[in-house]
Amino acid sequence: MTDSFGNVDYYTTVSSDTSAGVAAAFRISEEKLAEFNGLQPGSALAPNTKLRLIPAPGPIKGAKGTATVDDNGIPTSYVIEPEDTLGGITYRFGITEEQLAEANKVPYAYEKGNTYFVRAGNRIQLQKNPVDGRSGTGTTINNSFGQTIFYTTVDGDSFDSLGYKFRSTTAQLLQYNPSLTADKPIPAGTRVRLMPGELKIDGAQGTFTADADGIPLTYTTAPGDTERQISFRFNVTDLRWANRPLTGTEAVWYAFTDLPTGELAPGQTISLALNKPIHK
């Protein structure tokens, strides 16, 4: 029995099965197979036995919170407890970090230097909702960093399908696209914005220029702007490399008012495009 990502969580044995064979087939150790199912390692397997291929229900180290499961026993959501870890959560529910991020429509499940996703009290999704097989085949417009900033929908696209493909929550899509409505289908041929762009956000309140396709090219900083928020507003993965100096060893040429927080001095026009960098 598989989850929404195709991971096999349960297996029903046939007469020729052995513990070693089942464990090898699903790339887990025989000891883990026994542990997950309350068996002795190497014990015989009766036909039509439903075996767990993920840990048995209940808290484990690094994942002590409460999970919900569907009628088939597939974990669907989880509430994070203090001292939980990303490794503990992915191990307990048999999914990868990338799958966990996709299920929650976020680019990643952690950030360097602090906790973003794994925080106590946060209810996270462990599975995706079904989406139409026609979805996700529309045309895209990407920036020079390879990030999709506009997508033109096709029949079958939905807030879920766009969210899983482009790691954007429904709330974000509605915020970036005021013409969309949560309780109505997205018409085919709709150009959907996948970044804040024209929407000013905390830490990125300045103005920008764009080319004929709407791809942002330059940005003029406002008071309180930070590298992190500017990057988020325009889907830029390496703002510093688009503003690298021609000589010397400095990482960037633009000026900061507070280097530890990444706050930039206001009134600077910086590049948002790798293919049109600004050098100084």
Side-chain angles (χ1 to χ4, degrees):
M1 189 174 298
T2 61
D3 66 9
S4 62
F5 297 101
N7 303 313
V8 183
D9 287 354
Y10 294 92
Y11 171 73
T12 301
T13 60
V14 296
S15 58
S16 60
D17 280 332
T18 63
S19 294
V22 171
F26 295 103
R27 298 182 180 180
I28 62 175
S29 68
E30 194 172 355
E31 290 75 16
K32 285 184 178 178
L33 183 67
E35 177 189 338
F36 298 165
N37 293 278
L39 304 172
Q40 291 295 320
S43 60
L45 298 176
N48 296 313
T49 299
K50 186 180 180 182
L51 294 176
R52 297 183 61 87
L53 301 173
I54 58 175
I60 65 171
K61 183 178 180 181
K64 296 183 178 179
T66 302
T68 57
V69 298
D70 64 15
D71 293 339
N72 294 315
I74 303 294
T76 57
S77 67
Y78 174 72
V79 178
I80 295 173
E81 288 286 325
E83 299 183 11
D84 277 359
T85 65
L86 190 57
I89 293 167
T90 54
Y91 176 77
R92 176 175 168 183
F93 300 112
I95 57 179
T96 66
E97 292 182 15
E98 291 75 16
Q99 290 168 345
L100 190 61
E102 184 179 353
N104 291 275
K105 303 175 183 176
V106 296
Y108 35 75
Y110 68 94
E111 289 179 338
K112 248 181 200 180
N114 60 40
T115 57
Y116 161 68
F117 187 80
V118 180
R119 62 183 187 273
N122 190 24
R123 177 179 290 276
I124 59 175
Q125 300 303 310
L126 302 172
Q127 303 299 328
K128 302 185 296 180
N129 293 321
V131 296
D132 193 304
R134 298 171 295 172
S135 66
T137 58
T139 57
T140 61
I141 293 178
N142 298 340
N143 63 16
S144 58
F145 299 88
Q147 301 297 301
T148 302
I149 58 173
F150 294 103
Y151 172 77
T152 301
T153 59
V154 296
D155 285 332
D157 274 323
S158 63
F159 285 107
D160 275 344
S161 70
L162 296 184
Y164 297 137
K165 183 177 179 66
F166 298 111
R167 308 297 174 87
S168 295
T169 66
T170 297
Q172 288 174 324
L173 292 172
L174 290 170
Q175 186 180 24
Y176 305 161
N177 301 274
S179 63
L180 300 181
T181 305
D183 57 355
K184 292 182 180 179
I186 304 175
T190 300
R191 191 188 202 219
V192 177
R193 184 186 297 275
L194 298 168
M195 62 169 185
E198 293 175 0
L199 180 69
K200 294 181 179 181
I201 61 174
D202 287 343
Q205 293 281 311
T207 58
F208 73 100
T209 65
D211 66 13
D213 290 324
I215 299 174
L217 297 177
T218 66
Y219 176 77
T220 301
T221 58
D225 282 355
T226 66
E227 284 182 312
R228 177 192 179 92
Q229 291 300 91
I230 295 167
S231 296
F232 173 73
R233 180 176 167 185
F234 298 104
N235 251 1
V236 171
T237 58
D238 195 344
L239 188 65
R240 294 191 170 204
W241 194 240
N243 294 277
R244 55 195 183 272
L246 285 174
T247 59
T249 59
E250 294 296 324
V252 290
W253 60 263
Y254 48 70
F256 293 86
T257 57
D258 185 22
L259 187 57
T261 63
E263 183 175 326
L264 276 63
Q268 303 178 92
T269 297
I270 63 176
S271 175
L272 299 173
L274 277 178
N275 57 347
K276 292 186 178 181
I278 294 177
H279 303 291
K280 287 192 179 180

